[in-house]
Amino acid sequence: MTIVDIGLPRRLVEFTLDGEQVTVPEGATILSACKDMPTLCYGDTLEPANACRVCMVEVEGSRTLVPSCSRKVEPGMVVNTDTERTRHSRRLVLELLGSATDLSTTPQVADWMADVGADPARFGPDAATVAQPAKVDNVLYVRDYSKCIMCYKCVDACGDQWQNTFAIAVAGRGFDAHISTEFSAPLPDSACVYCGNCIEVCPTGALSFRREYDKRAEGTWDESAQSATTTVCTFCGVGCNLTLHVQDNEIVKVTSPHESSVTHGNLCIKGRFGWQHVQNP
Ligand code: SF4
Ligand code: SF4
């Protein structure tokens, strides 16, 4: 059962979405009223970053397409999500992302590409990419920036929106823009406290658990064979919810429910990574 936090009572706003009359609470975004809108940079626990441009929609009277993740619904607005213009825009954005980055572990993106007929290969073999070796510099998590689409979600999760550690930020300009620790230091020499809250929000798998990375490399990572069980962390009295992902009777990663009023998907190093003792023979 999905529990929707409706917050304080709000006035209702009526608008037209793909020809249907829809009513949403005042302040709701267009995206929140859409079913299955493709998006990469939107995070349900983060402020909209407006970075990926995958969720663009057409609003009558607006000269340009608008990002549905951040545009609030206005009374009488007429919104169309599936027009030749929105599909053309989504096709090009997905082609640009797919030609420059490795989207092989990005959930659903292959379906979105097929839906709009995106062909990243059309830019040719010489298209600029962010291909680079994965940064494997600690035993807890891996940074594979060849999969990074620069959505800023990890930076926001590490910074003032949740963790307030500021271990990572955007460095460089233009095509050289990239996510980096201070002075590109290895993670163990950076300010990182290994909460893993950046992994929780990364939409592409650029940030992944070391166990997941190793199992993918071995060819033994199998999400269809995994179960997910939510329990309460036993390390301290805060009561954070942990979702244990188990494959072949082994915990392979720990996430946290985003709708939890205690964690909102965030954990500390102990809850996120401190589970190896459970299966240490
Ligand atoms: S693990 Fe936590 S502290 Fe380290 S970079 Fe990610 S969000 Fe920041
Ligand atoms: S590492 Fe992941 S969360 Fe961070 S900017 Fe890249 S794709 Fe986004």
Side-chain angles (χ1 to χ4, degrees), residues 10 65 72 74 79 93 97 103 119 123 134 155 165 173 178 190 199 215 228 232 241:
R10 285 183 282 172
L65 297 178
K72 291 187 171 61
E74 294 162 35
V79 178
V93 166
L97 287 173
L103 299 179
D119 175 20
F123 298 116
V155 176
T165 293
R173 292 284 182 277
H178 59 284
S190 76
I199 311 172
K215 284 181 82 63
V232 178
N241 281 191

Side-chain angles (χ1 to χ4, degrees), residues 141 143 145 153-159 162-169 179 181 187 190-201 207 266-267 269 272-273:
Y141 88 95
R143 296 172 293 153
Y145 290 125
K153 286 163 95 169
C154 56
V155 176
D156 290 341
C158 187
W162 288 116
Q163 182 60 23
N164 282 288
T165 293
F166 303 95
I168 47 177
I179 307 297
T181 55
L187 219 50
S190 76
C192 176
V193 295
Y194 298 98
C195 62
N197 295 334
C198 52
I199 311 172
E200 181 79 44
V201 297
L207 308 178
N266 299 298
L267 293 171
I269 182 173
R272 184 81 68 187
F273 293 108

Side-chain angles (χ1 to χ4, degrees), residues 40 94 103-118 120:
L40 291 168
L94 291 172
L103 299 179
S104 60
T105 53
T106 305
Q108 292 183 280
V109 79
D111 294 339
W112 302 337
M113 283 190 175
D115 181 46
V116 293

Side-chain angles (χ1 to χ4, degrees), residues 29-187:
T29 61
I30 297 171
L31 182 76
S32 70
C34 295
K35 290 193 193 85
D36 303 324
M37 171 64 77
T39 173
L40 291 168
C41 75
Y42 170 76
D44 57 354
T45 60
L46 298 166
E47 297 291 320
N50 281 311
C52 75
R53 313 318 258 187
V54 174
C55 74
M56 304 298 278
V57 296
E58 214 169 330
V59 173
E60 266 186 33
S62 171
R63 183 176 56 84
T64 59
L65 297 178
V66 304
S68 64
C69 62
S70 60
R71 184 64 177 267
K72 291 187 171 61
V73 172
E74 294 162 35
M77 204 178 219
V78 179
V79 178
N80 288 297
T81 66
D82 193 14
T83 64
E84 183 44 41
R85 203 168 161 215
T86 61
R87 292 174 70 82
H88 182 90
S89 165
R90 192 163 302 137
R91 183 183 315 132
L92 187 57
V93 166
L94 291 172
E95 284 176 338
L96 290 169
L97 287 173
S99 71
T101 54
D102 172 3
L103 299 179
S104 60
T105 53
T106 305
Q108 292 183 280
V109 79
D111 294 339
W112 302 337
M113 283 190 175
D115 181 46
V116 293
D119 175 20
R122 77 182 175 90
F123 298 116
D126 297 331
T129 76
V130 292
Q132 58 191 283
K135 294 183 192 304
V136 188
D137 57 12
N138 67 90
V139 296
L140 298 183
Y141 88 95
V142 173
R143 296 172 293 153
D144 183 355
Y145 290 125
S146 59
K147 295 179 175 176
C148 177
I149 58 159
M150 292 296 291
C151 69
Y152 313 127
K153 286 163 95 169
C154 56
V155 176
D156 290 341
C158 187
D160 62 356
Q161 291 190 30
W162 288 116
Q163 182 60 23
N164 282 288
T165 293
F166 303 95
I168 47 177
V170 179
R173 292 284 182 277
F175 210 89
D176 284 337
H178 59 284
I179 307 297
S180 178
T181 55
E182 63 273 26
F183 302 111
S184 303
L187 219 50

